[in-house]
Amino acid sequence: MGKSRVLLVAAAVAPLLALTAACGGSDEASGKDAGKRPASSASPEAGEQDGKAAGPVLDEAALKKALLADGEVKGYQVAAADQEPLTPEADRAECRPLADLTAYGTGRTPRARAFASQGFAGSGQETAGRIVSVSLLSYDGDGAARTVEGVRSAIEACGDGFTTSGNNGGETIRYTAVEEIEAPESGDEAVAVKLVGEAEGTEVPMHFAVVRSGASLAQFMSLNIKSPSGASMPRDIVTAQVDKLAGAAAG
């Protein structure tokens, strides 16, 4: 499978195409539609999640500051991941949480209060070909916990696949396989899933993980443009990013 055809699918579902064009850059990405909500200081009240205080609701500035930077994870370079807000629609309501995994910005259900994103391209021998997208989101109330639970429910309900459309006028994507995979042992709770996306006859496996830390989520998507079947979730990036996010919430 050629690199260009892998990137065709990647570009249709997330801001990964931009990463390969800027893998040597260090631009900070921003959630453009996050500015539609107040972004002052972090709110101290986030409601209750599982009977425990969720912690502060981080604003966009705090989420940007919490993103991993160049040099914080060995074998990767920061790559620009900024793009216009993206909210794909699933062909079945029960699959919406999985479609939201491919969204960019705060527009998902439940809606996030703030959003920031960063991309990473493998720069070492062992990480060559790996492209990783990291999104940080904060939620009011129990929005973060409901998002994690929604993904779990959608994995069970949509095992036979689903389709997304309305990608800002882009491709219609058919997901031919939905498989729950081992979740990272990070944060307060986590869920992970492997989706196989298909566009114009090309299938690309993508690994997603959603990790809740208080009222915030760290969401990851990983694929391998050098060896698509070798896609996996980079636990080093996940652990480092969740720890940094938790530190930001702790002040």
Side-chain angles (χ1 to χ4, degrees):
M1 183 184 301
K3 174 180 175 180
S4 61
R5 293 186 65 76
V6 174
L7 289 175
L8 172 66
V9 181
V13 300
L16 293 182
L17 180 59
L19 306 190
T20 60
C23 62
S26 59
D27 296 338
E28 285 192 352
S30 63
K32 292 185 178 181
D33 66 339
K36 296 179 181 179
R37 287 177 175 264
S40 54
S41 60
S43 168
E45 297 296 334
E48 297 286 325
Q49 294 176 353
D50 297 329
K52 299 180 180 180
V57 179
L58 301 179
D59 60 20
E60 183 183 359
L63 291 180
K64 284 185 179 181
K65 189 175 181 180
L67 286 168
L68 290 174
D70 258 329
E72 292 191 85
V73 181
K74 184 179 179 180
Y76 293 90
Q77 289 182 327
V78 166
D82 201 14
Q83 70 166 53
E84 293 298 320
L86 177 72
T87 309
E89 296 181 5
D91 60 342
R92 291 186 284 157
E94 59 268 30
C95 303
R96 175 198 48 73
L98 298 178
D100 280 349
L101 292 179
T102 68
Y104 188 86
T106 59
R108 52 195 78 205
T109 305
R111 186 176 183 87
R113 172 182 283 270
F115 169 86
S117 185
Q118 187 67 284
F120 296 89
S123 59
Q125 184 175 355
E126 295 182 357
T127 59
R130 180 173 286 172
I131 302 295
V132 183
S133 174
V134 178
S135 297
L136 302 182
L137 306 102
S138 62
Y139 291 83
D140 293 314
D142 63 351
R146 286 193 290 127
T147 297
V148 174
E149 181 55 36
V151 173
R152 288 198 184 101
S153 298
I155 292 172
E156 183 176 349
C158 304
D160 57 345
F162 65 101
T163 299
T164 62
S165 60
N167 299 308
N168 290 353
E171 296 280 349
T172 293
I173 303 296
R174 186 168 67 94
Y175 293 92
T176 59
V178 176
E179 176 188 354
E180 185 169 11
I181 57 178
E182 183 180 359
E185 295 180 357
S186 301
D188 297 317
E189 59 178 329
V191 63
V193 61
K194 174 184 175 181
L195 301 181
V196 178
E198 187 273 332
E200 297 189 6
T202 298
E203 290 192 340
V204 178
M206 295 166 281
H207 287 221
F208 294 83
V210 182
V211 183
R212 181 175 70 83
S213 179
S216 299
L217 293 180
Q219 179 180 300
F220 306 86
M221 180 169 70
S222 177
L223 58 80
N224 194 316
I225 60 175
K226 184 177 180 180
S227 177
S229 62
S232 62
M233 184 55 59
R235 300 305 173 96
D236 47 356
I237 287 182
V238 172
T239 299
Q241 182 59 86
V242 174
D243 287 350
K244 190 170 183 180
L245 178 60

